[in-house]
Amino acid sequence: MLLEQHEQIRTLIAQVQSATGDRKRERFEDLVRLLAVHETAEEEIVHPTARREIPDGERVVESRLNEESQAKDELAELYDLGVGHPDFDTKFAALADAVAKHASHEESEEFPGLRREISAEDLRKMAGAVRAAEATAPTRPHPSAGESAVVNLLAGPPVAVFDRVRDAVRDWSRSDKSS
């Protein structure tokens, strides 16, 4: 499931890089949402499990959390800039590179360790927990919240409601203008 999301993220990055105008903005908003939801679920479910279960899990997870923190800051900055800003493409290229490296690290270090150390049945249960975490995750990066599973569990759902209401109003406003 997470590998499929990594592929979706790579696809959206390529679409943002090749698009213009409204299409670029839409693809970027899709990417922001997917990254925010994906990273929140990893911080709540995947990373704590990896920290406990895989050899050298503490080091592996701390490295991933540092990467995620930096990416949240960059993503929030890009969101505030907007796709029409003259610096957007350059800053987005740097983010795209960092996200690709982060996904590669997860795929080569964290995920194989989880597959080795956790039973297939427990991995399926973990996937269900990831889906539940994603359902209540914020849809925008909130760098000031940090990368703590506890903070995500406590603050995430109220922030997610706020984000999802903002998303709905934004989408309604755009659809109302186009009709």
Side-chain angles (χ1 to χ4, degrees), residues 40 136-142 144-145 151-152 154-167:
T40 297
T136 60
T139 61
R140 288 186 175 71
H142 296 277
S144 60
V151 170
N152 280 335
L154 294 175
V159 171
V161 169
F162 179 75
D163 284 353
R164 290 164 200 260
V165 168
R166 276 186 16 187
D167 292 345

Side-chain angles (χ1 to χ4, degrees), residues 26-171:
E26 291 165 1
R27 294 289 71 97
F28 179 66
E29 288 171 356
D30 291 344
L31 176 65
V32 167
R33 179 181 173 84
L34 179 56
L35 283 171
V37 167
H38 175 85
E39 294 304 334
T40 297
E42 284 184 342
E43 290 166 10
E44 289 178 12
I45 309 300
V46 178
H47 296 328
T49 304
R51 189 186 303 268
R52 282 189 316 271
E53 301 295 334
I54 67 172
D56 203 20
E58 184 70 30
R59 180 197 59 79
V60 169
V61 170
E62 284 306 310
S63 294
R64 298 304 71 80
L65 291 174
N66 288 334
E67 293 164 356
E68 289 169 11
S69 177
Q70 184 176 358
K72 279 182 188 177
D73 290 341
E74 292 171 6
L75 196 59
E77 179 184 358
L78 283 166
Y79 189 85
D80 290 342
L81 279 179
V83 299
H85 192 279
D87 294 336
F88 181 87
D89 289 335
T90 302
K91 290 179 181 282
F92 186 79
L95 173 70
D97 184 56
V99 168
K101 287 177 182 172
H102 172 75
S104 177
H105 290 146
E106 286 180 341
E107 292 169 6
S108 65
E109 296 177 39
E110 193 170 8
F111 298 170
L114 289 168
R115 283 191 296 273
R116 273 192 312 274
E117 302 297 328
I118 298 176
S119 71
E121 177 62 23
D122 285 344
L123 286 173
R124 280 191 287 281
K125 290 177 186 174
M126 193 167 134
V130 166
R131 281 189 208 80
E134 288 178 343
T136 60
T139 61
R140 288 186 175 71
H142 296 277
S144 60
E147 285 69 45
S148 162
V150 173
V151 170
N152 280 335
L153 289 168
L154 294 175
V159 171
V161 169
F162 179 75
D163 284 353
R164 290 164 200 260
V165 168
R166 276 186 16 187
D167 292 345
V169 170
R170 178 200 66 213
D171 294 346

